[in-house]
């Protein structure tokens, strides 16, 4: 329960943070809310010799509208996302999903940047960011680049981040007015990570699905975009046959780990159920 020894650094600018991370190399880790990193350090699953705390870095916090996108600073806490009227109005699925993360104590500290950068398949933000078509801005020793959320996750705890790079912000295209949305998450108890979760964003026209995106959490070593499942419901009124087809297509790409949350077959089954529930609830909200 006691982490290994480490040196603490508190840079004031992104440039200083990047410089520190690149010069200290593999032994250094950025520290955001610490709600994933510190437990790993206490279990000695992570033993960084240097922690680069991002709390003093200017310009990493805040939520702003930039044309048809919402741009969220990496150090914006989950609590701040919940408190944002802009998010409640234009990106309600983010509000819904964040409310299903742990408890207020975790959400006061946990950040959106830490959640997307962590690479834990159990984190809720990554699949949601893929569903929404988000892009991450990364800053590192070679400059700034943008990576689509859909291309960021390469394996469990393995992302497109290069040594010394930070996620500085997340840009999310605002879905059209009248879109339907739902984040369905099955968990064993309040505060638990997902046994299975599905994000759906769709639009309806004349009672039929016009556009649809479906993301899956904790059903593979990376978050998944269930494109075949989404295609299966386009042009349908989400009748039982279409829902079943979508669930089957989503289950076909799931490869969850068998763990304390259940065996593989169970987790795939409930993953399909989450997809069907999210589709139905999203359609009910679409205008
Ligand atoms: C009891 C409990 C329950 C939880 N339940 C859930 C849950 O249901 N769903 C869920 O999604 N999460 C859950 N979490 C995790 C929580 O949301 C974390 O806050 C989040 O995963 C990590 O964010 P953080 O700001 O705490 O990051 P940290 O723990 O500080 O960092 C996480 C990792 O990302 C790296 N990192 C942090 N910021 C950046 C950055 N800007 N650029 C590059 N790398 C960075 C760190 O070096 C570290 O490797 C839970 C945590 C606890 C303690």
């Amino acid at each position: 329960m006691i982490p290994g020894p480490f040196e603490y650094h508190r840079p004031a600018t992104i440039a200083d943070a990047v410089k520190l991370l690149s010069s200290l190399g593999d032994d250094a880790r950025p520290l955001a809310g610490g709600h994933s990193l510190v437990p790993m350090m206490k279990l000695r699953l992570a033993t960084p010799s240097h922690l680069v705390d991002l709390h003093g870095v200017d310009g990493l916090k805040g939520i702003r509208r930039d044309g048809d996108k919402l741009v969220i600073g990496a150090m914006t806490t989950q609590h701040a996302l919940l408190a944002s009227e802009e998010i409640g109005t234009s990106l309600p699925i983010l509000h819904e999903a964040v409310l299903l993360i742990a408890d207020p104590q975790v959400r006061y500290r946990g950040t959106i940047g830490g959640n997307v950068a962590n690479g834990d398949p159990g984190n809720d933000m990554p699949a949601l960011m893929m569903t929404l078509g988000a892009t991450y801005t990364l800053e590192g020793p070679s400059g700034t680049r943008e990576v689509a959320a859909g291309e960021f996750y390469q394996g469990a705890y393995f992302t497109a981040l290069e040594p010394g790079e930070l996620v500085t912000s997340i840009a999310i295209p605002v879905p059209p007015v009248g879109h339907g949305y739902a984040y369905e998450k099955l968990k064993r108890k309040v505060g638990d990570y997902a046994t299975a979760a599905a994000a759906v964003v769709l639009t309806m026209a004349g009672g039929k699905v016009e556009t649809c995106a479906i993301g899956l959490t904790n059903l593979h070593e990376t978050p998944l975009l269930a494109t075949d499942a989404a295609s299966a419901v386009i042009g349908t009124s989400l009748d039982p046959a279409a829902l079943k087809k979508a669930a089957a297509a989503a289950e076909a790409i799931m490869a969850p780990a068998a763990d304390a949350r259940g065996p593989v077959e169970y987790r795939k089954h409930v993953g399909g159920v989450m997809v069907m529930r999210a589709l139905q609830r999203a359609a009910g909200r679409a205008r």
Side-chain angles (χ1 to χ4, degrees):
M1 289 307 285
I2 299 173
F6 58 86
E7 258 184 68
Y8 176 82
H9 307 264
R10 195 176 167 96
T13 63
I14 295 175
D16 285 348
V18 166
K19 210 170 178 183
L20 269 169
L21 286 166
S22 6
S23 61
L24 295 168
D26 283 350
D27 280 347
R29 293 278 281 274
L31 174 71
H35 271 306
S36 290
L37 183 54
V38 174
M40 298 271 275
M41 289 171 64
K42 287 184 169 182
L43 292 168
R44 305 278 174 127
L45 293 171
T47 51
S49 317
H50 299 270
L51 284 187
V52 178
D53 188 348
L54 303 179
H55 282 92
V57 176
D58 264 352
L60 284 182
K61 276 191 192 160
I63 301 159
R64 67 181 167 87
R65 182 88 184 219
D66 181 9
D68 60 355
K69 290 186 178 141
L70 276 189
V71 181
I72 306 176
M75 286 299 286
T76 307
T77 63
Q78 293 151 3
H79 172 73
L81 298 176
L82 286 178
S84 159
E85 258 182 53
E86 175 74 71
I87 286 178
T89 310
S90 45
L91 211 50
I93 192 171
L94 181 54
H95 192 279
E96 179 165 294
V98 168
L99 209 46
L100 294 171
I101 294 177
D103 48 53
Q105 218 177 343
V106 171
R107 297 193 295 259
Y108 275 125
R109 291 291 293 179
T111 65
I112 189 164
N115 199 293
V116 301
N118 195 27
D120 181 339
N123 280 139
D124 289 293
M125 293 297 103
L128 178 56
M129 292 303 123
M130 287 166 64
T131 308
L132 289 164
T135 303
Y136 304 157
T137 299
L138 313 183
E139 286 199 38
S142 317
T144 305
R145 64 188 179 116
E146 303 209 326
V147 177
E151 285 162 19
F152 187 75
Y153 300 97
Q154 300 175 349
Y157 298 100
F158 185 50
T159 68
L161 277 171
E162 296 288 347
E165 262 184 339
L166 285 173
V167 175
T168 55
S169 65
I170 294 128
I172 308 172
V174 173
V177 173
H179 73 280
Y181 65 91
Y183 191 70
E184 281 287 339
K185 176 173 175 178
L186 178 72
K187 46 186 178 174
R188 295 171 300 178
K189 60 181 175 60
V190 171
D192 193 19
Y193 287 85
T195 298
V200 167
V201 175
L202 53 68
T203 55
M204 306 279 291
K208 304 225 157 131
V209 180
E210 198 176 34
T211 65
C212 181
I214 304 175
L216 304 172
T217 296
N218 222 6
L219 289 162
H220 198 277
E221 64 171 332
T222 61
L224 294 174
L225 208 48
T227 43
D228 286 348
S231 302
V233 297
I234 303 285
T236 76
S237 55
L238 286 177
D239 54 278
L243 287 172
K244 274 193 181 162
K245 214 170 155 192
E251 283 177 48
I253 60 166
M254 296 174 194
D259 61 16
R261 292 185 178 83
V264 170
E265 282 314 312
Y266 167 74
R267 293 187 63 187
K268 285 173 71 166
H269 173 72
V270 293
V273 173
M274 292 304 105
V275 168
M276 291 194 284
R277 285 186 189 170
L279 281 166
Q280 280 177 303
R281 215 153 52 79
R285 280 167 161 167
R287 283 181 277 116

